[in-house]
């Protein structure tokens, strides 16, 4: 598929590990400093996850999940010219979180501390916090790539064919239902 580009979303390597091991099925987004609109936009309903290492901090993650940061940093080679992509995600929901009460209901469903999640919600207060519910897949053959920004395009990237779901459909649907029920309270 020459000429095809596949998007990839930058995310903490530790969060990708949590997604790949069924610890969580969500990521939180507000937007970035380098984005054209300075706010988050879901550019694609499916994408690779591009691991980043520099901004991970254990104090922003629940103590029970610190090992995800340690594992990811043990694999990191700062001088490497490429990054290894191992995961692919499909967005099943883009939930817009607008207040602290909604956010508090999701605390058990993710690895981040309550303080970190609250800071994400408060940053750019006018904009909602996007919680993306992701159906995760592990790539059977990881890819190597380099780039920068929240979204990157992988030129001539293969459309993922050989992937293994992280969570079976029934378990995934159950987790999504629990998250949605918590938000309706």
């Amino acid at each position: 598929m020459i000429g095809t580009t596949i998007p990839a979303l930058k995310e903490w390597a530790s969060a990708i590990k949590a997604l790949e091991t069924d610890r969580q099925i969500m990521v939180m987004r507000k937007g970035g400093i380098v984005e054209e609109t300075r706010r988050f936009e879901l550019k694609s309903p499916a994408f690779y996850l591009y691991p980043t290492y520099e901004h991970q901090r254990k104090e922003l993650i629940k103590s029970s999940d610190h090992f995800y940061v340690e594992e990811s940093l043990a694999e990191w080679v700062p001088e490497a010219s490429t990054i290894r992509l191992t995961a692919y995600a499909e967005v099943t929901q883009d939930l817009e979180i607008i207040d602290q009460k909604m956010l508090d209901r999701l605390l058990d469903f993710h690895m981040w501390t309550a303080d970190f999640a609250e800071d994400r919600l408060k940053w750019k207060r006018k904009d909602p916090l996007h919680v993306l519910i992701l159906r995760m897949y592990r790539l059977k053959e990881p890819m190597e790539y380099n780039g920068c920004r929240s979204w990157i395009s992988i030129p001539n990237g293969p459309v993922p064919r050989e992937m293994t779901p992280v969570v079976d459909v029934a378990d995934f649907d159950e987790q999504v239902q629990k998250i949605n029920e918590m938000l309706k309270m």
Side-chain angles (χ1 to χ4, degrees):
M1 298 187 80
I2 295 176
T4 300
T5 59
I6 306 292
L9 178 66
K10 287 181 76 175
E11 181 58 73
W12 287 3
S14 54
I16 294 172
K17 288 202 167 291
L19 289 162
E20 288 179 322
T21 59
D22 189 25
R23 160 59 178 99
Q24 64 188 36
I25 61 169
M26 66 175 62
V27 294
M28 292 187 260
R29 279 290 184 281
K30 257 295 176 91
I33 296 166
V34 184
E35 308 318 314
E36 296 81 24
T37 64
R38 298 198 179 254
R39 68 176 57 106
F40 179 75
E41 295 175 21
L42 184 60
K43 298 200 183 234
S44 176
F47 43 82
Y48 292 102
L49 285 161
Y50 183 96
T52 62
Y53 301 87
E54 297 86 355
H55 304 294
Q56 300 182 109
R57 295 197 343 247
K58 283 190 348 186
E59 66 270 16
L60 302 177
I61 294 175
K62 295 172 189 165
S63 60
S64 60
D65 294 315
H66 282 181
F67 69 95
Y68 288 115
V69 175
E70 293 161 2
E71 273 183 26
S72 68
L73 291 176
E75 297 171 359
W76 184 34
V77 180
E79 61 277 358
S81 62
T82 60
I83 297 291
R84 185 179 161 119
L85 306 179
T86 60
Y88 189 79
E90 296 173 345
V91 177
T92 64
Q93 292 183 10
D94 179 357
L95 306 171
E96 292 189 357
I97 306 302
I98 56 172
D99 63 40
Q100 188 63 46
K101 193 182 287 187
M102 289 176 76
L103 185 60
D104 289 345
R105 292 179 187 146
L106 298 177
L107 188 59
D108 292 340
F109 296 96
H110 61 76
M111 67 190 291
W112 298 286
T113 64
D115 289 342
F116 178 70
E118 181 180 352
D119 288 346
R120 298 302 302 157
L121 178 64
K122 288 180 179 177
W123 186 60
K124 298 182 179 184
R125 191 174 290 277
K126 293 180 195 174
D127 297 330
L129 176 65
H130 290 263
V131 172
L132 303 180
I133 305 298
L134 304 177
R135 179 84 168 112
M136 291 297 303
Y137 298 89
R138 278 186 218 92
L139 301 177
K140 288 189 179 177
E141 292 184 32
M143 297 174 39
E144 301 286 327
Y145 192 72
N146 61 15
C148 196
R149 292 193 176 186
S150 290
W151 288 101
I152 60 171
S153 293
I154 300 175
N156 300 320
V159 176
R161 290 181 296 277
E162 296 192 27
M163 302 181 296
T164 305
V166 171
V167 182
D168 70 42
V169 174
D171 287 345
F172 178 78
D173 290 344
E174 182 180 330
Q175 289 182 54
V176 170
Q177 182 180 352
K178 286 178 184 176
I179 289 168
N180 285 311
E181 286 172 2
M182 293 302 289
L183 292 175
K184 291 178 185 174
M185 296 177 90

